[in-house]
Amino acid sequence: HVAGLVMFGILSPLLEGIGINAVIPLVSFFLGGGGAATDFVTRTIHTLFAFLHVPFTFRYLLVFIFGLFIARAISVVAFGYIKGWIGADFLGKESEDVLRRALLSSWSFSLKQKIGTMHNTLVRDVQQTGGLLGAVTQTIQSFSGFLVYLLVAMNISPVMTFYTIGGGAVLLFVLRPFVRHARRIGQQTAGVEKQFAQFLSEHIIGMKSIKAAGAEHAAIKNGTAHIRLLRHLSIRQGFVSTMSSSLFQPFAIVLVVLLFLLTYHAPGFNIISFGASLYLIQKIFTFYKRALALRQERRGVQTRP
């Protein structure tokens, strides 16, 4: 199934990239340019049409592009189904394994465990591990998509692609402090969550004793302190995440303007190719952004005590 994920993860962006690349000769036909082959992908499509004895015209090229995107939609559905199946199967087997190990553990080991911590391990930690598996499958899709879009973009305009890679590297370097800060917040949140789970378990079990001792207000005060701390950490986490993601769009706009200024006077500049390259560059930056989010999520899961 993982092999299927890799296959469909590559197939989907590959079909979309070829379809976007094929738009260049399509628009050239529309503008009366004849759809002349100017790059490797376009020449390959032209060769395929010649091999199948299909006229390389606007009408047939439009049908070809439409077919590519239909095939891409099917591959996206297949990828989503396999991803969901793997996630559900993993959660089921992992939950059974952790429950079996907990119930069959030695008495001396069980005496040392806190009920809230065990509950969090059996429920929340298993869910978080499933989230980590989801992050891994998403990483497969993101990496394969990034690689395919990168190759197609280089086929259209190598210069613009290299500038984009350099700009993305600079942006990721700028965002490193946000990633480290998010990781520290994730560690604090994990610790507070387990403390709160232990607090709830102890006070639910000892509810009668608390009422008999008249300690309700003290319990409420302690519980409120945990809740407010979790609220504070959640707000900080959301702020850091929003700050890091908000930098992508203005940075991308600045990069597009710079790319236009750098390539406009270059020999062989083509506004159609430039537009197609911008779409692929936008896709590349989407994967940059997704990779940053996955990195934060994966580290948040791995640092849970």
Side-chain angles (χ1 to χ4, degrees):
H1 289 86
V2 174
L5 282 178
V6 174
M7 182 185 70
F8 286 110
I10 294 175
L11 182 62
S12 175
L14 178 63
L15 293 173
E16 183 180 7
I18 295 175
I20 295 301
N21 201 131
V23 170
I24 298 175
L26 182 72
V27 176
S28 178
F29 274 123
F30 185 76
L31 298 177
T38 56
D39 56 81
F40 174 76
V41 174
T42 305
R43 291 195 300 269
T44 303
I45 295 174
H46 192 281
T47 303
L48 177 63
F49 274 51
F51 176 77
L52 297 175
H53 303 288
V54 176
F56 190 68
T57 60
F58 178 86
R59 179 188 304 175
Y60 290 103
L61 186 58
L62 182 62
V63 172
F64 174 74
I65 294 174
F66 182 75
L68 286 176
F69 281 99
I70 291 296
R72 178 189 178 274
I74 295 173
S75 68
V76 169
V77 172
F79 182 91
Y81 175 78
I82 296 175
K83 177 183 175 182
W85 189 93
I86 290 177
D89 183 66
F90 173 81
L91 282 178
K93 291 182 178 179
E94 189 70 10
S95 298
E96 292 176 5
D97 182 62
V98 174
L99 179 62
R100 185 183 303 107
R101 289 174 181 270
L103 294 177
L104 296 179
S105 60
S106 64
W107 182 246
S108 59
F109 174 81
S110 299
L111 287 175
K112 298 177 183 178
Q113 307 306 310
K114 296 181 178 180
I115 185 172
T117 302
M118 289 193 68
H119 177 271
N120 250 26
T121 301
L122 290 168
V123 179
R124 183 165 178 78
D125 284 1
V126 172
Q127 293 174 347
Q128 291 294 327
T129 306
L132 179 60
L133 177 65
V136 171
T137 58
Q138 192 66 42
T139 300
I140 294 174
Q141 184 184 26
S142 297
F143 178 76
S144 58
F146 172 80
L147 182 61
V148 171
Y149 287 123
L150 182 65
L151 293 175
V152 176
M154 289 188 66
N155 171 71
I156 297 175
S157 178
V159 175
M160 289 181 60
T161 305
F162 283 125
Y163 282 138
T164 302
I165 295 174
V170 171
L171 179 60
L172 291 180
F173 179 79
V174 171
L175 294 177
R176 285 185 64 187
F178 292 98
V179 176
R180 288 196 295 266
H181 192 51
R183 182 182 182 183
R184 288 195 296 268
I185 295 175
Q187 290 175 330
Q188 295 175 11
T189 303
V192 175
E193 283 178 348
K194 291 203 171 182
Q195 292 174 10
F196 187 50
Q198 177 64 23
F199 169 85
L200 289 176
S201 300
E202 290 177 350
H203 285 71
I204 290 173
I205 293 174
M207 185 68 70
K208 293 182 179 179
S209 300
I210 294 173
K211 287 185 173 295
E216 297 96 328
H217 294 289
I220 292 173
K221 183 178 179 180
N222 290 336
T224 302
H226 284 96
I227 293 172
R228 288 180 177 176
L229 182 55
L230 285 173
R231 174 180 174 273
H232 174 69
L233 291 172
S234 178
I235 292 173
R236 287 177 58 193
Q237 184 74 52
F239 177 74
V240 172
S241 177
T242 303
M243 280 289 295
S244 59
S245 61
S246 65
L247 295 177
F248 277 87
Q249 189 171 20
F251 187 87
I253 293 175
V254 172
L255 181 62
V256 167
V257 173
L258 290 176
L259 288 175
F260 182 79
L261 294 176
L262 290 171
T263 59
Y264 179 71
H265 295 290
F269 176 80
N270 187 311
I271 190 63
I272 302 174
S273 299
F274 183 80
S277 298
L278 288 185
Y279 176 82
L280 295 172
I281 288 171
Q282 183 269 333
K283 284 289 187 179
I284 292 173
F285 267 89
T286 299
F287 286 120
Y288 271 129
K289 185 176 180 179
R290 190 179 299 172
L292 180 65
L294 288 173
R295 185 180 181 185
Q296 292 177 351
E297 180 180 348
R298 186 167 60 250
R299 286 189 171 184
V301 174
Q302 290 174 340
T303 54
R304 290 184 179 274

